[in-house]
Amino acid sequence: MARSIGNPRVLIVDDDEAVRNTMNEYIQSAGYKSEAVSCAEEALARLEKEDFQVIITDIILPAMGGLELTKSIRQNKDSDVIVMTGYSDDYSYEEAINIGASDFVIKPVRLEELLLRLRRVLKERELTKERVRMMEKLQRLAVTDGLTKLYNSRSFYSQLETEVDRFNRYKHPLSLLLLDLDHFKEYNDSYGHLEGDKVLVRFSQIIKSCLRTNDSAYRYGGEEFTVILPETGGAEARTVAQRIRAALSASPSASG
C-alpha cells in the first residue's frame, strides 16, 4: 500500500494483546509507523518521549480510561485521537467528540474501516495545518512590505501607538528613527526600477543587521523607512542611526 505523506506515527492503546498486535501489524503493513501499548499510563509515557500524530485507544482500559486519556492528550499534545468501544450503549459519539476525539469507532472493528478512518483523520489534520499555515501567511502579508520584507506602514502606526502608550504609562525612554535614501529618484531614473528595488532590499537588510531584538524596522513608503527603538534614549538612537549609515556606506552595492 502507498505510504502516507510525511509517514505519520500512530500509537495504539488496548489492553487486549491480540487486538492491539493485530491492529499494529495491519497499520504497519499500510505503510505507517505504529506502536502498541496496553494502558493509558504507558501511552502518556511514550508521548512524553516521542510525537505521535494519531492515537487509537479503547475506552475501557485498566486504571485511566480511554476518554480520560483522550482529554489529557488534547490538552497537552498536538495529536488526534480515535476512540474505540464495544459498549456503544454506554458511550456515545457526542461524548467522545466533545472531549476532543477526532473519531469514534464501534468494536469489533473491521481493520479496513479502521484504516479508512485513520486516513481520513490524517487528511483532515493536514488540511487543518495547511489552513493555519495559509492564515499565518496572510497575516504576515497584511503587516509586511512585499519587497523589503520589513513591516509596512500600517504595522508601523499600530506598533508606534503601543510603544507610545507604554512610554506614557511607564516613562521608559523611546526613540524613533526616520530614514531616507538620498537621490533615490535619480538612481531609479538612471538605472531603472529593478535596480532601485535591489537598493531598497539591500538597505532593508542593512537596517535589520544593525538592530537589537526589541527594535523593529518598517518601510514607511517609497525610499522612506522608520525604526522604533524601545528603551532607547536620544544619544543611543543617534548611535544606531550612525551605525546604519556607516553600514550602508560600506556596502558594496552602495559604493558600486
Side-chain angles (χ1 to χ4, degrees):
M1 299 180 185
R3 179 168 294 185
S4 178
I5 296 174
N7 201 12
R9 305 188 69 211
V10 180
L11 182 62
I12 300 161
V13 189
D14 198 303
D15 60 340
D16 187 318
E17 183 178 6
V19 169
R20 68 174 180 267
N21 288 343
T22 300
M23 287 183 179
N24 192 33
E25 291 173 4
Y26 188 80
I27 289 172
Q28 287 178 351
S29 72
Y32 298 101
K33 291 183 177 180
S34 66
E35 298 181 23
V37 296
S38 61
C39 63
E41 292 76 12
E42 190 176 353
L44 291 175
R46 294 292 295 119
L47 286 165
E48 286 300 317
K49 297 178 180 178
E50 298 185 55
D51 293 327
F52 291 86
Q53 283 65 51
V54 179
I55 289 81
I56 301 173
T57 181
D58 194 7
I59 285 184
I60 304 299
L61 295 170
M64 179 188 289
L67 292 181
E68 188 178 351
L69 171 63
T70 300
K71 189 173 182 179
S72 176
I73 290 171
R74 297 302 293 159
Q75 288 176 342
N76 301 296
K77 299 292 180 181
D78 180 25
S79 302
D80 285 274
V81 183
I82 298 174
V83 171
M84 305 179 295
T85 183
Y87 300 89
S88 56
D89 293 337
D90 298 326
Y91 301 99
S92 67
Y93 175 88
E94 290 78 10
E95 183 180 4
I97 297 303
N98 286 339
I99 63 169
S102 299
D103 207 343
F104 182 83
V105 185
I106 302 299
K107 283 185 169 183
V109 181
R110 291 178 56 249
L111 294 176
E112 295 83 358
E113 179 188 354
L114 181 64
L115 183 59
L116 287 174
R117 289 175 181 262
L118 171 62
R119 286 174 172 163
R120 183 188 62 79
V121 167
L122 287 168
K123 183 177 181 180
E124 290 183 356
R125 177 183 177 86
E126 185 56 36
L127 288 173
T128 298
K129 289 185 176 297
E130 182 60 29
R131 284 194 292 268
V132 171
R133 286 192 290 266
M134 287 300 299
M135 289 302 299
E136 290 175 346
K137 182 178 181 180
L138 290 173
Q139 289 171 353
R140 288 195 300 271
L141 290 174
V143 299
T144 305
D145 175 62
L147 175 64
T148 64
K149 309 307 178 187
L150 296 180
Y151 295 115
N152 59 25
S153 59
R154 179 168 59 178
S155 180
F156 164 70
Y157 284 114
S158 175
Q159 186 63 29
L160 182 61
E161 183 177 356
T162 299
E163 294 297 343
V164 168
D165 180 64
R166 184 178 291 117
F167 168 80
N168 289 332
R169 280 186 293 158
Y170 303 111
K171 305 305 179 185
H172 292 178
L174 172 66
S175 294
L176 174 67
L177 300 183
L178 303 176
L179 310 173
D180 183 86
L181 288 170
D182 292 337
H183 313 300
F184 183 74
K185 184 179 184 304
E186 290 84 347
Y187 186 92
N188 254 348
D189 292 341
S190 299
Y191 300 101
H193 289 283
L194 289 178
E195 291 301 317
D197 287 349
K198 291 179 183 178
V199 171
L200 294 175
V201 170
R202 178 58 184 148
F203 186 45
S204 301
Q205 293 170 344
I206 290 171
I207 293 174
K208 287 194 288 187
S209 71
C210 295
L211 301 183
R212 304 162 302 182
T213 303
N214 291 335
D215 303 332
S216 52
Y218 307 79
R219 186 183 181 192
Y220 188 73
E223 71 275 22
E224 300 171 331
F225 299 81
T226 60
V227 177
I228 297 177
L229 302 170
E231 305 293 334
T232 305
E236 189 178 355
R238 189 176 299 109
T239 299
V240 174
Q242 291 171 345
R243 185 162 64 241
I244 294 172
R245 182 175 183 178
L248 178 62
S249 298
S251 172
S253 60
S255 58

